[in-house]
Amino acid sequence: MDDDTFEKSRLTLLGLGAMGTALARAWLAAGHPTTVWNRTPGRAEPLAAEGATVAGTAAEAVAASGLVVVCLLDDASVGEALAGADLTGRDLVNLTTGTPAQARARAEWAGERGARYLDGGIMAVPPMIGAPGSGGYVFYSGSRALFDTHHSALAIPAGTRYVGEDPGLAALHDVALLSAMTGMFAGVSHAFALIRKEDVAPEDFAPLLVNWLTAMAPYAYGIAGHLESGDYTKGVVSNLAMMVEGNSTLLRTADEQGVSAELLTPFMALMERRLADGHGDEGTTGVIDLLTR
Ligand code: FVH
């Protein structure tokens, strides 16, 4: 049967920033009757022209649909926006980036107000929303029943990955990946700083950087294997003693190029501590032990 034969479920979206607007457009384009609300009303105008129903208050928007999706700046703004809304019987899906503890507290808060709760962590930037094949997806955690009930609507803007009943798990996965990305961009920034004053075109250098990072990324599987087995030396092809020795060349090059090494030195200090503890035959997995309080 043609998909258009089925009536698309009604939903409400609170928050029309860059991400909220992209989400709203994806649901509208897929034919979901969508009610929107934003603190600054002007941001809803283009969506009204595209078929959205614009609510005057967050409480009105919540009252309009059983499924209420929230995509606001942070957890505090979620509390503020929903303060005057009756959540009884609503299915609340919170796509606002927050910490695992905030997600767990928000799930309890929603339950006390009579709502079912699902937390989401968006692994996409706005242009990847509603773009099949972009690779964007959303981690979900919390009520499995709620995820299953609304899966067809939730799968419209981006792919979905349900990671467990604990509402904090989506945020944990989200923030862990964002943290890895932050480290990657620190390295990328340092690399561009090194070449900046030389006769090396950034546009020529960028593909080299991307290829190298892509080639190195699968070593994360080796680290996972170490953590699973407890043997941090298994399959090590570049040992810590060698890498710490090599760090002096990285630091000396930074100095020669007039570049601050401040993005590199915290990680190097941990490598040195692990080496000093007698683990020169490992890779970098032991650094994780030093980080874990
Ligand atoms: N954009 C991105 O690249 C990332 C990708 C990954 C996921 N994030 C998270 O998505 C949440 C929303 O991000 P956004 O890009 O839509 O953010 P902004 O464009 O800055 O819009 C912020 C919206 O939040 C509203 N807002 C802020 N404070 C309050 C408040 N106290 N009460 C009610 N609404 C509030 C703001 O309203 P206004 O300023 O237009 O009145 C916007 O609608 C976020 O968690 C990202 O981490 C995006």
Side-chain angles (χ1 to χ4, degrees):
M1 203 181 297
D2 192 304
D3 197 36
D4 289 340
T5 310
F6 296 104
E7 199 179 323
K8 299 286 170 63
S9 55
R10 169 172 293 283
L11 63 91
T12 281
L13 175 65
L14 305 184
L16 299 174
M19 183 54 78
T21 298
L23 293 169
R25 289 216 158 99
W27 277 311
L28 287 167
H32 283 268
T34 304
T35 297
V36 296
W37 172 84
N38 194 62
R39 180 182 60 177
T40 305
R43 287 182 115 165
E45 280 166 21
L47 292 166
E50 293 170 39
T53 302
V54 180
T57 64
E60 279 172 38
V62 168
S65 318
L67 173 59
V68 177
V69 181
V70 186
C71 187
L72 297 169
L73 185 63
D74 55 16
D75 182 65
S77 53
V78 174
E80 278 177 39
L82 290 174
D86 180 4
L87 291 176
T88 312
R90 301 293 110 169
D91 289 344
L92 183 62
V93 177
N94 183 11
L95 301 183
T96 305
T97 304
T99 70
Q102 284 174 334
R104 289 171 187 134
R106 193 55 70 194
E108 206 175 317
W109 175 92
E112 287 163 2
R113 284 157 183 75
R116 292 195 294 177
Y117 185 86
L118 197 59
D119 203 80
I122 303 175
M123 304 315 302
V125 291
M128 293 163 84
I129 298 298
S134 70
Y137 65 89
V138 181
F139 286 119
Y140 287 99
S141 64
S143 167
R144 174 85 215 197
L146 182 49
F147 176 75
D148 290 341
T149 301
H150 295 294
H151 183 260
S152 61
L154 297 178
I156 296 290
T160 63
R161 291 186 191 202
Y162 179 80
V163 286
E165 289 279 343
D166 172 354
L169 284 175
L172 181 66
H173 283 74
D174 180 8
V175 173
L177 294 192
L178 292 178
S179 300
M181 180 188 76
T182 300
M184 181 186 75
F185 282 126
V188 166
S189 301
H190 184 84
F192 274 117
L194 287 179
I195 64 143
R196 192 165 199 189
K197 292 182 202 149
E198 304 283 354
D199 188 19
V200 180
E203 284 183 357
D204 292 339
F205 185 66
L208 303 175
L209 199 49
V210 170
N211 289 345
W212 179 243
L213 293 175
T214 304
M216 289 297 104
Y219 280 92
Y221 292 117
I223 293 173
H226 294 160
L227 294 172
E228 290 280 349
S229 69
D231 176 2
Y232 293 0
T233 62
K234 194 170 171 215
V236 167
V237 292
S238 303
N239 68 59
L240 189 64
M242 178 277 294
M243 284 192 277
V244 168
E245 187 59 33
N247 284 347
S248 61
T249 304
L250 270 55
L251 293 174
R252 195 166 162 180
T253 304
D255 192 46
E256 287 173 6
Q257 298 300 110
V259 170
S260 165
E262 64 197 300
L263 291 173
L264 302 185
T265 47
F267 188 64
M268 289 177 173
L270 289 162
M271 293 168 78
E272 281 167 28
R273 265 173 64 196
R274 187 70 182 173
L275 178 64
D277 289 343
H279 299 284
D281 55 348
E282 296 178 351
T284 59
T285 306
V287 165
I288 297 164
D289 286 6
L290 296 178
L291 289 177
T292 315
R293 289 197 290 257

